[in-house]
């Protein structure tokens, strides 16, 4: 293990709301493995799937978590010459587009409708592209649970407003052609299906209802999903220092603020949505003010430096 990558993995795996200690322990080392997989692939093309829609919000919008981690990953990878295609669904499209548009690099965007046929059509298009995707990253993107339905942390069924984009990661009727990476913080995200079933069920509130069933080749567990995106980009910079300048060209607090501002002010992304209180657009992620996320980003950047 690279010592600096281990330090970054510990930073992004800090506990925030839920006790993710056992989850991070079980997945220790996956941050480096995921970074190495991208770096060691000739002609890599990375897809990033994100967007966690909150119907019970004012207005109904995706949450801020996931969007900013996607933005940093997209900016850094594209700056380093790795093509990026961001993927989301129609309910999340406005906020995801706002972040992609704020990235100062050329990023492609694909939007699926909330039905299986649209996802299958997108999957076929991604496979047949002139430069097919080699890696697919899900960051804060919900997975179906044991009942076949995706759930919010409270247990609410999200299947009516969420495209089955997990079919890009795992489908018994299909042989996928890309390596998969999952980034999550709550147990209900794509990739969390790689954990032993009892971990989420017993250690996360409502775990028996929400526990994800979709696995990934590499799972990065973070205190906040955005942090996992920060960590993956920084880990790549640690492992290939000659590419660090390009990978981290936009990795700073000004860009972090720019991405979150775009998500909130243009995309109306929301935060702090609870059972008794609808979320609303605000400059926070997982109820943590933007400034604290910027401090953590700078802490990660300092490890690379």
């Amino acid at each position: 293990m690279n010592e600096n990558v281990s330090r970054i993995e510990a930073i992004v795996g800090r506990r925030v709301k839920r006790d993710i200690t056992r989850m991070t322990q079980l997945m220790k080392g996956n941050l480096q493995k995921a970074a190495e997989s991208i770096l060691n692939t000739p002609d890599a093309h990375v897809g990033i799937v994100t967007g966690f829609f909150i119907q019970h919000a004012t207005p109904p919008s995706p949450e801020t978590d996931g969007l900013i981690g996607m933005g940093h990953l997209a900016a850094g990878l594209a700056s380093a010459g790795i093509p990026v295609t961001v993927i989301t669904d129609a309910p999340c499209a406005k906020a995801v587009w706002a972040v992609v548009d704020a990235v100062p690099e050329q990023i492609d965007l694909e939007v699926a409708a909330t039905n299986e046929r649209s996802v299958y059509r997108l999957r076929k298009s991604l496979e047949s592209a002139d430069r097919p995707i080699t890696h697919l990253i899900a960051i804060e993107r919900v997975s179906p649970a044991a009942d076949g339905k995706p759930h919010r942390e409270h247990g609410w069924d999200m299947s009516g407003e969420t495209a089955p984009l997990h079919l890009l990661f795992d489908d018994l009727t299909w042989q996928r052609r890309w390596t998969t990476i999952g980034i999550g913080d709550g147990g209900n995200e794509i990739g969390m299906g790689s954990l032993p079933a009892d971990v989420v069920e017993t250690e996360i509130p409502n775990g028996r209802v929400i526990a994800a069933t979709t696995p990934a080749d590499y799972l990065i567990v973070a205190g906040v999903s955005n942090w996992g995106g920060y960590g993956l980009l920084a880990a790549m910079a640690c492992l290939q220092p000659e590419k660090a300048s390009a990978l981290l060209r936009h990795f700073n607090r000004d860009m972090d603020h720019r991405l979150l501002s775009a998500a909130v002010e243009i995309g109306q992304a929301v935060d702090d949505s609870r059972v008794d209180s609808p979320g609303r657009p605000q400059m926070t992620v997982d109820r943590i003010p933007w400034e604290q996320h910027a401090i953590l980003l700078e802490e990660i950047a300092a490890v690379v430096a």
Side-chain angles (χ1 to χ4, degrees), residues 15-32:
R15 177 177 177 175
V16 180
K17 293 186 297 182
R18 311 168 189 89
D19 187 357
I20 60 171
T21 304
R22 190 174 172 208
M23 295 161 65
T24 55
Q25 289 175 344
L26 287 168
M27 294 296 110
K28 189 174 182 179
N30 270 235
L31 180 63
Q32 178 163 328

Side-chain angles (χ1 to χ4, degrees), residues 25-206:
Q25 289 175 344
L26 287 168
M27 294 296 110
K28 189 174 182 179
N30 270 235
L31 180 63
Q32 178 163 328
K33 292 174 183 177
E36 289 174 336
S37 180
I38 298 173
L39 290 169
N40 294 336
T41 299
D43 298 321
H45 176 185
V46 176
I48 307 175
V49 180
T50 196
F52 197 111
F53 192 71
I54 307 296
Q55 181 70 39
H56 179 68
T58 306
S61 296
E63 62 180 37
T64 50
D65 196 15
L67 302 181
I68 316 310
M70 172 274 290
H72 279 291
L73 277 170
L77 292 169
S79 176
I82 300 174
V84 176
T85 298
V86 172
I87 300 165
T88 193
D89 55 11
C92 299
K94 182 179 180 181
V96 173
W97 164 78
V99 174
V100 168
D101 192 56
V103 172
E105 301 286 346
Q106 183 65 48
I107 308 296
D108 290 333
L109 175 62
E110 296 284 352
V111 179
T114 56
N115 59 68
E116 287 189 355
R117 185 177 64 178
S118 181
V119 175
Y120 290 143
R121 187 165 55 243
L122 171 60
R123 194 168 73 185
K124 185 176 181 180
S125 173
L126 295 174
E127 288 178 320
S128 60
D130 291 338
R131 187 168 177 176
I133 281 177
T134 61
H135 292 77
L136 197 60
I137 302 170
I139 179 167
E140 189 67 10
R141 180 69 195 187
V142 72
S143 157
D147 63 357
K149 300 176 181 179
H151 296 271
R152 282 187 59 196
E153 62 182 282
H154 312 299
W156 295 349
D157 177 10
M158 297 175 59
S159 53
E161 63 266 12
T162 300
L165 291 175
H166 67 280
L167 294 172
L168 301 177
F169 291 78
D170 185 56
D171 184 354
L172 294 177
T173 67
W174 164 72
Q175 182 65 47
R176 61 177 168 84
R177 302 182 183 181
W178 39 71
T179 299
T180 57
I181 300 168
I183 303 175
D185 60 16
N188 58 344
E189 301 95 348
I190 290 173
M192 292 288 185
S194 297
L195 290 163
D198 68 296
V199 174
V200 175
E201 291 178 359
T202 59
E203 300 190 14
I204 298 296
N206 301 312

